[in-house]
Amino acid sequence: MLSQTGRTFEERWEKGQMRQTTAKILNQEDVTKREWQNLFWDVHGVTCWDERGWQKVLSALEEMIRAFVLATQRRVMMNEDDSTLLKAYIAEWTRFFTQTDYLPKPFRKSSTGEGKGSATTPGNDDGALVLKLMLDMWNEGIFANIKDRLQVSAMKIVLSERRGEAFDTQLVIGVRESYVNLCSAEDDKLKIYKENFEKAYLEATEEFYQARTAEYLAQNGVINYMTYALEKLKEEDQRALRYLETSKKSDSAQKLHECCVSILIGHYKDQILAECPHMIATNENDKLFLMYNLMNEVPDGIGPMMANVEAHIFQDGLADMQSCADTITTDPEKYVEKLLELFARYSKIVKDAFRDDSRFLTSRDKAYKAVVNDVSVFKLELGVKPKGAAAKTHPESKCPELLANYCDLLLRKTSTSKRLTSDEVEGKLKDVLLVLKYVQNKDVFMRYHKAHLSRRLVLGTSADSEKEENLVEWFREVGMPAEYVNKLARMFQDIKVSEDLNQEFQESLRRQGNSVADTVSIKILNAGAWSRSAERVPVSLPLELEDFVPEIEDFYRGMHSGRKLQWHHHMSNGVVTFCNKAGKFDLEITTYQMAILFSWNQRPDEKLSLEDLRLSTQLPDGELRRTLGSLIAFPRMKHQVLLCRPEVKSPREFDDKSVFFINQDFVVVRNGKVQKRAKVNLIGRLQLSTETSRKEDNEAIVALRVLRVQEAVVKIMKMRKRISNAALQTELVEMLKNMFLPQKKMIKEQIEWLIEHKYMKRDDNDINSFIYLA
């Protein structure tokens, strides 16, 4: 047995079956199971017992493979036609490559510890040496000689496919596979493929489209060219999956895609983008979507489109607002509806043309925010706060005020709220929140909304108290400052507490036998939550009201010791009955209106001068004129309660010659019929307003902004300890953006104020850096 195993290479290779079996495998002839097993045994025997056996095996294999490759080369090179050459090569390569999977297997030397011949063998996988030998032989003998012809022929087939002519896919695929599988290098298996087939494919693609794109664009125009370019991109992507290597180690498909993008789109980007503004203006969303798909492939292709969208939204939106400025500046409902219409219009463009791409949504938001906060249509001039505030503030959009007015229309008992269902009111309130998201200075909205809410709660004119409280919670959800929301919630709580106090006060009056207990209603409100003006306007109350003041104060002091009551008569109102020959009319009026009308209580037919009324009511001149104006020219009344001679167009025209008297012919006409009994509301929008309240409100907004800026700067400095001026301003704007956008001048002034008061200081070595002082 040992003698059989130890036979020499010559005996096994030349005289035995080793050579014949190897030749059969190489030529794809049938090999029996016994022959296959004997080949393994022979290789084992040679390499284990003959020190030079393995080298002899490799030499013999190399000679046999070289002879096989040379024979194959002659057969392949006999074909002069490109097509037949391709077919012959692919057939021979497929046959040879199949054998590269079988032939190396028997030639793997056994791993027996210290086997003979191992010193002559580089590496452990001897089969890999055989595989490398086979591939190198094919590469040197055939591929190196005809690879150029193979590439040219394969590219001609791809060209035929691009032209729509007949083609054979498998020929190109076969060539590609030979390129991919030929490389025997361990570090880069795709080296031959990349340096030859991939390179030729990309060059052929570039040459093909460079010769056609410019001509197609000139003949067919930009719109048709965009369709053409997108179709060709898709075609080339699909073609790449067939003809190029798509393994994880290959990026051929990506390179082809980038090549096609550069040729088809990049070279003509400016010409394509030139059509974008017109498409946006004419709502050609399908064409915009096509352009979007193309420009999304090109570096910095989307940027110009975003700029065009942003410019269109701002210019178109502003033009639309200006065209109907006369209507929307006086009607909050139409104003909000116009803003919502614009938002829906531009959102549709972004959705249909750009599929709600986040980049275009950002452009929409940025431009829409500019429209909402624009001051060219209407603006709000905030007052000047002399101490610590900016010397002069920039005009701001009136949008926050109009939004607050619209909320008031929806929540107050008005014709608007009455014609809407509860769900419709809720939907419109949420629309307001949508617009409010884009309002830059939300603190203005907060102040006006709070003023309207105060009016509704004091007068009891809320259409739906549940909606009122829901809106406050929605403010919290959309990121309104917690301090503001909490104050609104406290206002509702105060009203509920006041209701209980009022019931107890009325009960105490009944116990005293006072017959007017049910006609008196008091509201005791917390100054911290309501924060109305501290201004005390002097007024001479009617005796009927004057008697109740000490009773209410004694009652409240009896329940709460140490608390101070302040009377704000401009927030009070009542109902008086006016009697004449036409009938009886209940007039809902403010305390100031009541003081004026009661001047005639004991002298109904007399005519009183402006000075008489000033002495009778003790009202300041401005309040007296405004209140008289509301009684003489109430806009919703055909017949006025009070008349003036001579007639004037404005309360400012009242002078010493003006005389006022009760209109004894006052009647209420409804549906063309004179009413003998009616109730008339003369309060209008006067309630909660004094002559200086609007100015004070605006000044209070500025004053609060000053405090907010100071507070935010200190908070940032306390956290950072040291910070540059630019970084401080960036963080400050980010911190305050949910309330207002601070002006640079205000920021600078408040930083100087904080430095002056030793909260912070400038760095001695860097004037643009600040240091916190604990």
Side-chain angles (χ1 to χ4, degrees):
M1 187 68 179
L2 289 174
S3 61
Q4 178 66 18
T5 304
R7 290 169 58 189
T8 63
F9 166 75
E10 289 77 9
E11 292 175 329
R12 291 178 179 274
W13 181 264
E14 298 294 342
K15 299 178 181 179
Q17 294 295 318
M18 196 172 177
R19 180 186 181 92
Q20 290 84 345
T21 304
T22 302
K24 284 184 178 182
I25 295 172
L26 197 58
N27 289 289
Q28 285 191 328
E29 297 176 5
D30 292 336
V31 176
T32 65
K33 183 177 181 180
R34 184 175 184 79
E35 289 175 330
W36 177 252
Q37 292 175 343
N38 286 339
L39 182 58
F40 277 85
W41 181 252
D42 288 337
V43 171
H44 172 74
V46 169
T47 57
C48 285
W49 298 98
D50 189 337
E51 294 182 359
R52 295 178 299 168
W54 177 245
Q55 203 60 43
K56 292 178 180 178
V57 168
L58 285 181
S59 298
L61 274 175
E62 182 178 352
E63 182 181 347
M64 179 176 288
I65 293 170
R66 180 178 284 109
F68 177 84
V69 168
L70 289 174
T72 304
Q73 180 190 32
R74 287 192 292 271
R75 291 195 299 273
V76 171
M77 299 299 288
M78 288 174 58
N79 300 279
E80 298 181 359
D81 179 68
D82 289 341
S83 179
T84 55
L85 175 71
L86 271 179
K87 292 178 181 178
Y89 174 81
I90 292 171
E92 294 290 351
W93 161 253
T94 303
R95 176 185 174 192
F96 179 78
F97 187 66
T98 301
Q99 299 315 102
T100 61
D101 190 39
Y102 293 98
L103 186 60
K105 290 181 178 179
F107 295 92
R108 296 178 187 272
K109 191 169 57 170
S110 299
S111 181
T112 57
E114 298 179 358
K116 293 182 179 181
S118 59
T120 63
T121 307
N124 296 324
D125 190 353
D126 305 313
L129 293 176
V130 177
L131 173 61
K132 184 177 186 304
L133 180 63
M134 295 178 71
L135 294 177
D136 289 346
M137 287 290 181
W138 184 274
N139 200 348
E140 295 171 7
I142 301 178
F143 183 75
N145 296 321
I146 64 171
K147 66 177 182 179
D148 293 335
R149 287 186 63 189
L150 290 176
Q151 287 175 185
V152 170
S153 300
M155 294 310 112
K156 285 181 179 178
I157 295 175
V158 177
L159 178 62
S160 298
E161 180 180 344
R162 287 174 175 146
R163 288 174 173 172
E165 301 170 359
F167 59 92
D168 188 344
T169 303
Q170 292 304 316
L171 293 179
V172 182
I173 294 174
V175 173
R176 188 274 316 282
E177 289 180 347
S178 70
Y179 276 82
V180 170
N181 296 316
L182 258 176
C183 187
S184 60
E186 291 292 334
D187 56 338
D188 187 1
K189 294 287 188 181
L190 298 176
K191 183 178 179 181
I192 295 177
Y193 160 79
K194 289 178 180 179
E195 293 178 352
N196 296 275
F197 189 87
E198 179 189 273
K199 181 181 177 182
Y201 194 97
L202 294 176
E203 289 174 350
T205 302
E206 185 174 355
E207 181 182 353
F208 175 80
Y209 286 111
Q210 278 182 341
R212 288 161 176 77
T213 50
E215 181 181 353
Y216 190 96
L217 178 60
Q219 292 178 355
N220 298 277
V222 170
I223 306 302
N224 292 327
Y225 179 79
M226 288 195 301
T227 303
Y228 167 81
L230 193 60
E231 287 177 353
K232 294 305 173 185
L233 273 180
K234 291 179 180 178
E235 285 180 11
E236 291 301 330
D237 286 343
Q238 294 171 356
R239 196 170 284 125
L241 297 177
R242 292 196 300 270
Y243 297 147
L244 296 178
E245 177 62 17
T246 57
S247 64
K248 293 182 179 179
K249 295 182 179 180
S250 172
D251 58 353
S252 299
Q254 181 62 29
K255 288 181 180 177
L256 176 68
H257 184 81
E258 291 172 357
C259 174
C260 292
V261 165
S262 176
I263 300 167
L264 291 166
I265 308 172
H267 292 175
Y268 310 103
K269 182 177 75 172
D270 294 339
Q271 291 172 260
I272 296 173
L273 287 172
E275 299 293 322
C276 185
H278 175 71
M279 292 180 187
I280 297 173
T282 53
N283 290 323
E284 298 180 75
N285 293 336
D286 292 340
K287 295 176 182 177
L288 281 172
F289 181 59
L290 187 60
M291 183 182 292
Y292 161 74
N293 284 328
L294 292 177
M295 291 300 112
N296 207 22
E297 301 284 352
V298 184
D300 197 32
I302 291 296
M305 292 189 73
M306 291 168 59
N308 288 330
V309 169
E310 191 173 323
H312 170 77
I313 291 176
F314 178 70
Q315 295 167 4
D316 181 71
L318 208 55
D320 214 340
M321 297 291 282
Q322 289 171 342
S323 66
C324 53
D326 294 341
T327 303
I328 62 178
T329 51
T330 57
D331 189 334
E333 183 176 10
K334 287 185 170 57
Y335 170 75
V336 176
E337 287 176 352
K338 172 57 68 175
L339 283 178
L340 291 171
E341 176 196 330
L342 294 177
F343 185 81
R345 184 195 308 170
Y346 303 135
S347 295
K348 187 176 188 303
I349 293 176
V350 175
K351 180 178 180 181
D352 294 347
F354 312 112
R355 298 305 186 265
D356 281 339
D357 186 311
S358 59
R359 294 168 293 181
F360 286 92
L361 286 173
T362 301
S363 294
R364 178 206 64 185
D365 290 347
K366 186 177 178 181
Y368 187 71
K369 185 175 183 179
V371 172
V372 169
N373 294 286
D374 184 76
V375 297
S376 61
V377 179
F378 38 72
K379 59 188 176 183
L380 173 69
E381 293 284 0
L382 292 182
V384 179
K385 190 73 174 177
K387 294 183 180 180
K392 184 69 176 176
T393 57
H394 294 283
E396 297 182 9
S397 171
K398 205 175 181 181
C399 176
E401 181 183 351
L402 293 174
L403 285 178
N405 293 345
Y406 184 53
C407 283
D408 185 49
L409 283 176
L410 294 172
L411 294 169
R412 186 163 45 90
K413 294 174 183 176
T414 61
S415 56
T416 302
S417 62
K418 288 177 181 177
R419 64 180 166 82
L420 298 173
T421 65
S422 178
D423 290 341
E424 288 172 336
V425 169
E426 183 174 326
K428 290 184 179 295
L429 287 174
K430 289 187 176 179
D431 287 340
V432 171
L433 295 178
L434 171 65
V435 177
L436 185 61
K437 183 177 71 172
Y438 297 94
V439 171
Q440 188 168 275
N441 296 318
K442 296 182 178 65
D443 56 342
V444 177
F445 171 85
M446 296 173 189
R447 181 163 289 271
Y448 281 101
H449 176 73
K450 187 175 181 182
H452 291 313
L453 176 61
S454 300
R455 181 181 295 111
R456 293 193 299 271
L457 294 179
V458 168
L459 296 178
T461 56
S462 291
D464 188 335
S465 58
E466 184 179 351
K467 288 286 187 298
E468 295 273 16
E469 297 189 38
N470 286 345
L471 182 60
V472 172
E473 290 305 312
W474 294 338
F475 284 151
R476 200 186 302 276
E477 292 173 5
V478 298
M480 283 292 194
E483 179 185 356
Y484 167 71
V485 178
N486 292 338
K487 281 188 176 182
L488 296 184
R490 178 64 187 273
M491 291 169 69
F492 290 111
Q493 183 180 348
D494 283 354
I495 291 297
K496 292 175 183 177
V497 171
S498 289
E499 290 175 358
D500 296 336
L501 283 172
N502 188 62
Q503 289 179 2
E504 294 182 26
F505 177 67
Q506 290 177 345
E507 186 62 33
S508 69
L509 290 179
R510 292 191 192 97
R511 287 195 296 268
Q512 298 171 17
N514 195 322
S515 59
V516 295
D518 294 335
T519 64
V520 178
S521 175
I522 60 172
K523 287 184 174 65
I524 298 177
L525 310 173
N526 185 285
W530 294 73
S531 61
R532 293 304 303 168
S533 170
E535 179 188 22
R536 302 286 298 277
V537 178
V539 61
S540 178
L541 296 176
L543 293 176
E544 291 81 355
L545 287 180
E546 195 73 44
D547 293 342
F548 277 105
V549 171
E551 289 192 43
I552 294 172
E553 290 179 344
D554 291 341
F555 166 76
Y556 191 70
R557 278 196 295 267
M559 298 186 66
H560 304 281
S561 61
R563 293 189 183 181
K564 184 180 179 181
L565 286 180
Q566 286 187 340
W567 291 89
H568 293 275
H569 296 301
H570 65 279
M571 296 176 67
S572 303
N573 64 288
V575 179
V576 298
T577 302
F578 175 67
C579 300
N580 63 5
K581 58 184 179 181
K584 290 184 177 182
F585 307 99
D586 294 330
L587 306 179
E588 294 184 52
I589 54 179
T590 68
T591 305
Y592 296 161
Q593 290 172 327
M594 191 181 298
I596 289 175
L597 291 178
F598 266 70
S599 299
W600 280 276
N601 203 30
Q602 302 300 324
R603 43 188 174 179
D605 297 322
E606 288 190 23
K607 294 182 179 179
L608 303 180
S609 67
L610 186 64
E611 183 62 26
D612 293 335
L613 292 173
R614 186 179 293 116
L615 292 172
S616 173
T617 62
Q618 299 296 311
L619 283 170
D621 185 70
E623 284 301 326
L624 178 61
R625 289 174 181 272
R626 292 176 68 241
T627 309
L628 281 170
S630 70
L631 293 170
I632 289 171
F634 194 74
R636 290 179 292 179
M637 299 284 292
K638 290 184 178 180
H639 301 273
Q640 304 298 329
V641 176
L642 207 62
L643 299 177
C644 173
R645 294 292 181 271
E647 294 184 0
V648 296
K649 294 181 179 179
S650 167
R652 295 178 182 176
E653 298 177 12
F654 294 150
D655 55 27
D656 294 338
K657 297 180 181 179
S658 300
V659 292
F660 306 88
F661 54 95
I662 297 292
N663 181 11
Q664 297 296 344
D665 296 324
F666 173 79
V667 293
V668 175
V669 180
R670 291 175 180 167
N671 299 323
K673 293 182 180 181
V674 176
Q675 307 292 314
K676 292 184 178 181
R677 184 75 176 172
K679 192 171 185 178
V680 181
N681 187 330
L682 296 178
I683 295 175
R685 305 305 290 162
L686 279 178
Q687 193 66 28
L688 306 185
S689 298
T690 66
E691 181 182 18
T692 59
S693 63
R694 187 178 186 87
K695 180 181 178 182
E696 284 185 351
D697 280 346
N698 291 341
E699 288 183 350
I701 291 173
V702 177
L704 186 59
R705 288 182 179 180
V706 168
L707 295 176
R708 294 297 188 206
V709 171
Q710 292 176 357
E711 178 187 28
V713 171
V714 171
K715 188 179 293 186
I716 293 170
M717 292 303 302
K718 190 173 183 179
M719 179 173 58
R720 300 295 184 193
K721 306 300 182 186
R722 177 190 176 92
I723 193 171
S724 67
N725 183 39
L728 175 61
Q729 295 203 28
T730 300
E731 289 195 30
L732 186 64
V733 170
E734 181 67 22
M735 186 176 290
L736 297 175
K737 68 179 182 181
N738 283 336
M739 290 186 284
F740 66 96
L741 186 65
Q743 299 292 335
K744 289 185 177 180
K745 187 174 183 180
M746 178 181 283
I747 296 174
K748 180 179 178 182
E749 288 179 352
Q750 299 320 306
I751 289 176
E752 294 297 333
W753 187 90
L754 291 170
I755 292 175
E756 181 182 344
H757 288 78
K758 309 299 182 184
Y759 288 93
M760 55 194 287
K761 71 173 185 176
R762 283 192 172 84
D763 190 340
D764 295 335
N765 299 320
D766 184 2
I767 195 172
N768 289 318
S769 294
F770 302 107
I771 299 173
Y772 176 64
L773 298 177

